[in-house]
Amino acid sequence: VPDLPPCRLQGQEALAQLACSFAKSIVSVHVYISVMVLARALHLVCLCSVLLILQAVRPEEEDDERFEVSEKHEAKKQEALRSLIARRSPAAGGKGDAKGGDAKADAPTCSKDLHFPDDECPEGCPLAAEEDAQFCTFKCVKADACGTQGTVAEATIPDKVNHMCRRCEVEGCLQCVAGKPGEEDEEVEKCVKCMFGYSLSENKTGCESKGMIFFIAAGVVGAIAVVLAIIWYIGLRFKPVVNEEQVAYAMDCRARMMVLQGHHGDEGEPYPFDTNLCKEVVAGPGATVLFRYQSAIILWAFVLLAVWLGFVAVAGTDLLILGVLPAKTPRQLCHAVHWGRHRQMELIWTKVSWLAFAYVFSFVGAIVYGIKNARFFCQHDSEHCTLSDYVAVLEGLPKMRGEERVEEIVKEAVSKALGDQGGNEVLAVSVGWDFSEHVGQVRHFLEEEVGSLESSHSTARAGARLSVMHLAGLSDNEEDAGSSLTGFWGMLTRILLKVWKVDFDDHHEDTVDNLKTTLKTMETSSTAYVVFATESGRDKALAAISNGCQIIVKDASCSLRAETYEPEALFWHNVHVTPSARGFKLFLAVIYMTIACAVWTFLLYLPYAFYMSSFSYAHGDEPGFASEMIFVCLVVGSQIGLFVASSMCANQCQFHYEDQKHRMYIIFYNASLVLNLILDISLQSYLSYLQMVGVGAHVADGRKLADLVKFQEIFESYPIQKSVGKLLFKYCWPCTFLVPFAVEPFVAQLLPLHIGTLLIARNKKIKGELAERALELSEMEQGRYADCIFNLILVCCIPFIAPAYMGLTFSTFLISHMFIYAYDHWKTLRYARKFYFSSPEVHWLGQKLFCLPVAILAAALVFKGNQMSGGVNSALAGGYLKDMHLFAAIMAAFCGHIVIHLVILECVVYPFHQDPNKEENAIPFSEVAKEDAATHLTTNPIQCLRSKYILEDNPPLSMFVLGKEHLMRPNPTIGAFYDGAAKAAQKKNKGGAHISENFETNTSPLPPVAETAKQETQTEVDRAA
């Protein structure tokens, strides 16, 4: 960056080389993403971006320490800074002071008025005092003359470090009183009235924050928790290993639950790590478009950053420093405000031109992207048969008790009503039941059923278990089960295991007779799922209903509609919830989210905001490293807290389908984050404004900030632009763009795997189903759309403020989302439970929400365009539109774009989801169900239990359990066609090695004994198969 002062480039060579190496590593690691064709250009942009980041976020205290080594270095720094601003100052004509003379020829002398002095004051009068009558005019005075001779009366305190006369500055003070001119005793400045949230100290000279007690208490609690966690981990690490066989078993179950090639079943190979998830459908079309969405955002950010850097190359590097120049002294502030305002107006055409391009590119790109992916969904639906193609949803069922043969009653009623229009093709009916009060009992018997099948299917495991016990030097009678679960540390272990749903007390001592009684007294919901033998039969039935055919079940008229979701996405425990009941739950969830935002703001953020407002931000009085770390923790903590609250509220609404829950979570999370952002930025900006008014901050035309009465003038002023710009950038980086996503792989994936392995290996109580849960893979959710949209909203707010933050924010945004894409890629292929996103519903919501950042760009274009209309030499708020007219125009652009964007999506893009020329599907349901274990029948827990204990089918309907597909048995008479044993043998006969043999390369290694046990166990299982 050639226009920066030379002094700021000294000593940065090593840091720059390190940053360049880091950027190269980033690009080389993530080169496989969809923008691989742009990798080399992206590499150059990343190098420039990292240099920009270093320039902005490197602590200024570091520079000070480097140059305070000697007076010579300090003089060089001051000279370089004065030379830079004097050279750029319009009033100086690029060469001298405001009068156009040579600065060197007009050296400062005592008591002489100087405008923008370039040299230090002489030793006889070493302090620069600002004139009271004229803005940015100074006199060189002695220490005892501060506040006299026509200088600012309040600036009576000599500051020999910065060679200036300063005002009274007491942290958190609203009314500060300085001593007499020249006084240097301890009470040279004292506070009369503190800001809200502060109280006078005991000596009545300073202010003490009332809110810091919250952060001190939180810090103490956090430190204690960390110490306890370390002690607990060390104690666990050094306990003897007694349960290796269950580690091997849990790892094997974990491997079966991964996303495997072919998707169906629990036998297969994992996808290669270089799989292009933007093209390869590994977990449904919904997962593919999720990665396409992220790739499109990366490409969007890259193009806009490249265009902005193009403007920098054409218009000059001033665009990289406008808004971030240092202002530690009144003279530096005068230079920065005066030059910055004028230069910003000279270059505002670049911001307006960039905004126009960004808006058109974003809007048109969103429509093109939507059409392309709508065609992708349509093509995928035409080329692939899914189970939802054969299912229709029957709604309006009357309540029936389980003692009746409900499935036969409903099936007969549907077949009779439809007749030859699809009635003869009704294969089975899966009825929804209200078992909300019996969830524990149902889960217990399903686990017992799966456990008994697994025991009978894998008889070789007992022999493998004896081999492991022998290798470990243990006998079958050695339990040592509760050694790590007693006492205080055992209590901590139990709490952690309960979070992972490993509950030793969750045992239902129940009998089969009690279960039968529960099943017989259970009532149906109003919904059932009718399975047809062919897709054409389902379509005939729907056509008959649309033509007036009625389905009557026990005098109740029922409706029939097409199913759009795959069975994996169905929440059977929520099927009984009616739309009216869900509406009330949704209302309560909104109230809970509002309370969560309010609690966070008033209990934690408000005390911090008052503390931050005690800094003036005008004369270098800015918060230190500790304060900034508190801010990072607060922002990250708020996002984590709102994430948890949004997830809980979305679950409380009890939707029928997973996609509906994800949609509601995205809405809750984005709404709460935007509300939290508005509250945070508004509150801190207002408090900063009050404090800057208190210290007498000026604007570019010489007026005091306190004299500005219009919001437009205040917002366009340099002190506010600097304060809001820095705060917004800090909010983006590292608080939002980096920290939450950087820690997620360790907290959500690697650490649970490591701790879970240790817990299982050191406690024999954790076995079977409990061991599976301890090492269970995490779920893949579509909530990433919420993260993307919020980050987009943040980055699109940057054009409202100073230009220097444009390149910085877009660079960090780009790097962050490259990392997010890489993490999601790694998680999907190696650390996520098998999933299948079939519906375009969540992706469609993501496309709709993209209208918000584009609308913000439109609003920023109006704001900056109006600012440019006033001309280069215009005053604050000198544009054509003023006050409420400007606000109305901005809101019209924002709201107008949202309406237009949504209308185009609905009228132009959405029709591409439908294929009017779709060929008829001739494949029957039985063939598709032979390949896919999860159907609307096998995922219904009550249907499976009734099949065994009430209907007494032989064999009964097997429950679909992820990772246990090999245990499922077919029974075509009841609609069960999947043969787990046959599928496993078929895959083995094709030469497919077991997934667990390849899993070691993707997880942490097991202990030697556990490794041997795992190999022996697999050998015995292969023999049995």
Side-chain angles (χ1 to χ4, degrees):
V1 187
D3 289 334
L4 292 176
C7 60
R8 292 186 62 81
L9 295 178
Q10 295 178 3
Q12 290 190 8
E13 184 177 359
L15 289 175
Q17 290 177 354
L18 180 61
C20 292
S21 301
F22 175 74
K24 290 179 181 178
S25 301
I26 290 270
V27 175
S28 62
V29 169
H30 307 314
V31 71
Y32 62 85
I33 64 174
S34 62
V35 293
M36 184 171 60
V37 293
L38 302 173
R40 188 163 184 81
L42 182 60
H43 165 71
L44 298 175
V45 173
C46 287
L47 295 182
C48 297
S49 303
V50 172
L51 290 175
L52 292 174
I53 297 169
L54 286 177
Q55 175 65 24
V57 305
R58 210 185 67 183
E60 296 178 359
E61 291 79 6
E62 190 175 323
D63 290 342
D64 294 341
E65 293 176 0
R66 183 176 292 116
F67 291 112
E68 286 175 1
V69 174
S70 66
E71 291 294 334
K72 182 178 179 180
H73 287 169
E74 178 66 20
K76 285 184 178 180
K77 182 179 71 170
Q78 297 293 339
E79 180 181 355
L81 182 60
R82 289 195 303 271
S83 175
L84 168 72
I85 302 180
R87 185 170 65 252
R88 296 180 181 275
S89 175
K95 296 180 180 179
D97 60 10
K99 300 178 182 179
D102 189 354
K104 297 296 181 182
D106 193 9
T109 58
C110 294
S111 300
K112 180 179 180 181
D113 294 344
L114 295 173
H115 194 61
F116 292 150
D118 290 334
D119 295 329
E120 296 291 343
C121 291
E123 294 183 1
C125 45
L127 305 179
E130 186 176 2
E131 289 275 7
D132 190 26
Q134 188 175 359
F135 172 59
C136 281
T137 303
F138 298 85
K139 284 183 178 180
C140 292
V141 299
K142 298 179 181 180
D144 57 1
C146 287
T148 62
Q149 301 179 12
T151 61
V152 176
E154 293 84 2
T156 62
I157 302 174
D159 187 345
K160 295 182 179 180
V161 176
N162 294 313
H163 306 290
M164 54 177 278
C165 296
R166 65 173 178 85
R167 299 169 182 264
C168 178
E169 294 178 358
V170 176
E171 181 180 315
C173 185
L174 187 62
Q175 294 181 6
C176 189
V177 177
K180 295 180 180 179
E183 286 187 349
E184 299 184 15
D185 57 5
E186 295 181 355
E187 297 185 0
V188 68
E189 51 188 344
K190 61 177 64 177
C191 185
V192 177
K193 183 179 180 181
C194 295
M195 298 177 62
F196 179 75
Y198 288 81
S199 59
L200 286 174
S201 60
E202 294 182 0
N203 57 7
K204 305 297 182 182
T205 59
C207 295
E208 298 175 347
S209 174
K210 298 178 181 179
M212 287 305 293
I213 187 64
F214 291 99
F215 301 105
I216 295 174
V220 171
V221 172
I224 294 175
V226 170
V227 171
L228 290 177
I230 294 174
I231 296 175
W232 173 83
Y233 175 79
I234 294 175
L236 178 65
R237 197 74 177 84
F238 286 96
K239 285 184 179 296
V241 177
V242 296
N243 201 25
E244 305 95 335
E245 61 170 359
Q246 290 300 320
V247 174
Y249 170 74
M251 293 295 288
D252 183 74
C253 294
R254 179 185 175 93
R256 291 175 178 273
M257 297 172 66
M258 286 174 53
V259 175
L260 305 177
Q261 295 187 40
H263 172 68
H264 309 293
D266 57 354
E267 302 282 349
E269 296 284 344
Y271 283 91
F273 200 75
D274 59 352
T275 303
N276 187 346
L277 298 184
C278 293
K279 292 184 178 180
E280 188 79 17
V281 182
V282 303
T288 303
V289 294
L290 173 60
F291 284 95
R292 289 188 175 188
Y293 193 87
Q294 295 191 55
S295 298
I297 289 175
I298 293 173
L299 179 62
W300 174 84
F302 172 79
V303 171
L304 295 189
L305 177 60
V307 172
W308 178 252
L309 293 179
F311 278 112
V312 172
V314 172
T317 55
D318 289 345
L319 290 172
L320 301 179
I321 60 174
L322 273 169
V324 295
L325 282 176
K328 288 189 173 182
T329 68
R331 286 192 298 166
Q332 291 179 0
L333 180 61
C334 288
H335 285 303
V337 171
H338 192 78
W339 169 79
R341 167 67 182 176
H342 185 83
R343 189 60 176 155
Q344 185 176 6
M345 294 304 297
E346 284 182 338
L347 297 177
I348 197 172
W349 65 270
T350 60
K351 180 74 73 70
V352 174
S353 302
W354 181 89
L355 279 169
F357 171 82
Y359 174 72
V360 174
F361 174 72
S362 304
F363 191 14
V364 175
I367 303 304
V368 173
Y369 169 86
I371 293 175
K372 181 178 179 180
N373 284 283
R375 288 178 173 175
F376 165 75
F377 269 105
C378 181
Q379 181 180 0
H380 185 273
D381 183 63
S382 300
E383 295 176 353
H384 296 81
C385 299
T386 60
L387 293 168
S388 62
D389 295 334
Y390 303 88
V391 178
V393 183
L394 184 68
E395 296 176 324
L397 282 179
K399 286 188 177 183
M400 291 178 280
R401 291 170 62 87
E403 57 191 6
E404 303 179 68
R405 303 183 72 85
V406 177
E407 293 81 4
E408 295 181 6
I409 294 174
V410 176
K411 179 181 178 181
E412 182 180 352
V414 173
S415 300
K416 182 178 179 181
L418 295 175
D420 58 354
Q421 293 181 319
N424 55 347
E425 294 197 39
V426 176
L427 187 64
V429 174
S430 182
V431 180
W433 296 84
D434 181 4
F435 61 100
S436 56
E437 297 180 357
H438 308 284
V439 173
Q441 185 184 30
V442 170
R443 183 174 64 243
H444 168 67
F445 277 97
L446 287 175
E447 290 175 356
E448 278 199 349
E449 177 69 15
V450 173
S452 63
L453 287 175
E454 190 165 23
S455 298
S456 60
H457 186 274
S458 303
T459 56
R461 287 190 184 275
R465 183 176 187 273
L466 293 176
S467 300
V468 174
M469 302 282 285
H470 176 72
L471 288 170
L474 301 172
S475 67
D476 202 20
N477 296 325
E478 291 184 47
E479 281 300 321
D480 190 26
S483 60
S484 61
L485 298 177
T486 57
F488 175 74
W489 303 110
M491 180 188 68
L492 295 182
T493 303
R494 285 178 176 271
I495 292 174
L496 177 62
L497 290 173
K498 279 189 176 182
V499 174
W500 292 346
K501 300 180 181 179
V502 181
D503 192 353
F504 297 100
D505 302 323
D506 188 17
H507 297 297
H508 292 268
E509 299 297 336
D510 213 340
T511 63
V512 173
D513 292 336
N514 289 339
L515 175 65
K516 289 182 178 180
T517 302
T518 299
L519 293 175
K520 290 179 179 180
T521 57
M522 192 178 295
E523 293 183 339
T524 62
S525 69
S526 61
T527 305
Y529 296 85
V530 183
V531 181
F532 291 83
T534 62
E535 184 177 3
S536 60
R538 194 273 308 260
D539 294 340
K540 289 179 183 179
L542 295 175
I545 295 299
S546 63
N547 292 330
C549 179
Q550 288 188 346
I551 299 176
I552 307 297
V553 180
K554 284 194 170 185
D555 298 330
S557 178
C558 302
S559 62
L560 195 70
R561 60 175 177 83
E563 172 65 302
T564 56
Y565 298 94
E566 295 305 312
E568 294 102 323
L570 185 57
F571 294 141
W572 287 99
H573 56 282
N574 292 338
V575 173
H576 68 282
V577 180
T578 62
S580 58
R582 186 177 301 108
F584 180 71
K585 293 178 181 292
L586 180 60
F587 173 73
L588 292 179
V590 172
I591 294 178
Y592 294 154
M593 287 301 304
T594 305
I595 293 175
C597 291
V599 168
W600 179 263
T601 300
F602 290 103
L603 291 187
L604 287 176
Y605 188 79
L606 191 61
Y608 170 79
F610 280 118
Y611 169 67
M612 293 293 287
S613 68
S614 64
F615 300 94
S616 65
Y617 298 90
H619 299 157
D621 181 30
E622 299 184 356
F625 178 78
S627 300
E628 305 233 351
M629 287 300 100
I630 293 177
F631 180 71
V632 171
C633 293
L634 281 174
V635 174
V636 174
S638 68
Q639 293 177 6
I640 295 175
L642 293 176
F643 159 75
V644 174
S646 301
S647 299
M648 293 175 61
C649 290
N651 286 327
Q652 182 184 338
C653 293
Q654 293 185 296
F655 289 101
H656 288 183
Y657 300 99
E658 186 178 23
D659 293 70
Q660 294 174 341
K661 186 189 76 170
H662 289 169
R663 288 179 70 253
M664 188 52 58
Y665 160 77
I666 292 172
I667 294 173
F668 278 150
Y669 188 56
N670 275 135
S672 58
L673 282 179
V674 171
L675 176 62
N676 191 58
L677 171 66
I678 293 174
L679 290 175
D680 291 353
I681 300 298
S682 300
L683 178 61
Q684 191 156 337
S685 299
Y686 176 68
L687 294 175
S688 298
Y689 164 77
L690 292 180
Q691 186 65 17
M692 285 185 287
V693 167
V695 299
H698 290 76
V699 295
D701 57 9
R703 290 180 293 169
K704 289 185 177 182
L705 185 62
D707 295 335
L708 304 181
V709 295
K710 296 181 179 179
F711 175 80
Q712 184 178 352
E713 292 180 331
I714 296 172
F715 184 76
E716 291 181 7
S717 64
Y718 173 80
I720 295 297
Q721 287 271 306
K722 178 180 175 65
S723 175
V724 175
K726 186 172 184 178
L727 178 63
L728 188 57
F729 179 70
K730 292 287 184 184
Y731 199 99
C732 294
W733 180 274
C735 301
T736 303
F737 293 171
L738 176 64
V739 176
F741 308 109
V743 302
E744 186 176 347
F746 302 97
V747 175
Q749 313 301 336
L750 299 177
L751 188 60
L753 173 61
H754 177 65
I755 298 298
T757 303
L758 292 179
L759 287 172
I760 297 174
R762 285 153 177 80
N763 196 291
K764 295 192 69 176
K765 275 190 174 181
I766 307 177
K767 57 186 178 181
E769 181 73 17
L770 298 180
E772 288 186 50
R773 294 180 187 176
L775 291 188
E776 196 172 49
L777 290 166
S778 61
E779 293 185 2
M780 189 68 183
E781 296 183 345
Q782 301 182 74
R784 186 64 74 201
Y785 288 104
D787 299 320
C788 294
I789 291 298
F790 183 63
N791 289 351
L792 285 168
I793 290 174
L794 281 175
V795 79
C796 287
C797 289
I798 293 296
F800 281 96
I801 57 177
Y805 294 103
M806 291 282 293
L808 294 172
T809 309
F810 273 88
S811 300
T812 55
F813 177 89
L814 182 61
I815 294 173
S816 170
H817 279 269
M818 290 172 60
F819 175 81
I820 294 172
Y821 183 98
Y823 167 64
D824 284 346
H825 181 103
W826 169 74
K827 177 182 177 181
T828 298
L829 296 181
R830 296 295 183 267
Y831 275 82
R833 289 165 54 96
K834 189 183 303 179
F835 64 97
Y836 193 85
F837 295 153
S838 60
S839 171
E841 185 174 345
V842 181
H843 179 254
W844 184 243
L845 175 64
Q847 293 184 70
K848 288 183 175 180
L849 290 178
F850 186 72
C851 72
L852 295 177
V854 182
I856 293 175
L857 290 177
L861 178 60
V862 172
F863 177 74
K864 287 298 179 181
N866 178 72
Q867 199 173 357
M868 186 176 68
S869 68
V872 175
N873 298 318
S874 64
L876 292 174
Y880 180 77
L881 298 175
K882 294 179 175 59
D883 304 329
M884 292 304 299
H885 294 91
L886 175 61
F887 178 76
I890 291 175
M891 292 305 299
F894 180 81
C895 299
H897 172 80
I898 291 177
V899 173
I900 295 173
H901 196 131
L902 294 180
V903 169
I904 292 179
L905 285 179
E906 291 290 346
C907 299
V908 177
V909 177
Y910 192 79
F912 283 93
H913 285 89
Q914 307 298 327
D915 184 7
N917 301 319
K918 180 180 178 181
E919 297 182 0
E920 183 177 350
N921 174 24
I923 302 176
F925 171 84
S926 58
E927 294 299 320
V928 180
K930 286 180 181 179
E931 299 296 327
D932 200 332
T935 69
H936 286 81
L937 300 171
T938 59
T939 58
N940 187 341
I942 305 302
Q943 185 99 349
C944 295
L945 292 177
R946 284 176 56 82
S947 175
K948 180 176 182 179
Y949 296 106
I950 303 299
L951 305 179
E952 298 181 348
D953 297 319
N954 187 24
L957 184 64
S958 298
M959 180 68 189
F960 168 76
V961 179
L962 188 61
K964 308 290 185 182
E965 292 93 332
H966 61 285
L967 304 177
M968 298 180 67
R969 294 173 293 178
N971 186 348
T973 60
I974 58 175
F977 298 93
Y978 188 85
D979 190 342
K983 293 295 292 184
Q986 179 183 1
K987 290 188 177 182
K988 287 184 179 296
N989 292 336
K990 289 182 179 180
H994 193 275
I995 178 62
S996 61
E997 298 175 4
N998 301 304
F999 191 70
E1000 296 98 0
T1001 58
N1002 304 311
T1003 59
S1004 56
L1006 296 175
V1009 176
E1011 195 68 39
T1012 305
K1014 185 175 181 180
Q1015 294 172 0
E1016 290 193 1
T1017 302
Q1018 185 56 50
T1019 302
E1020 296 299 328
V1021 173
D1022 290 343
R1023 290 176 183 171

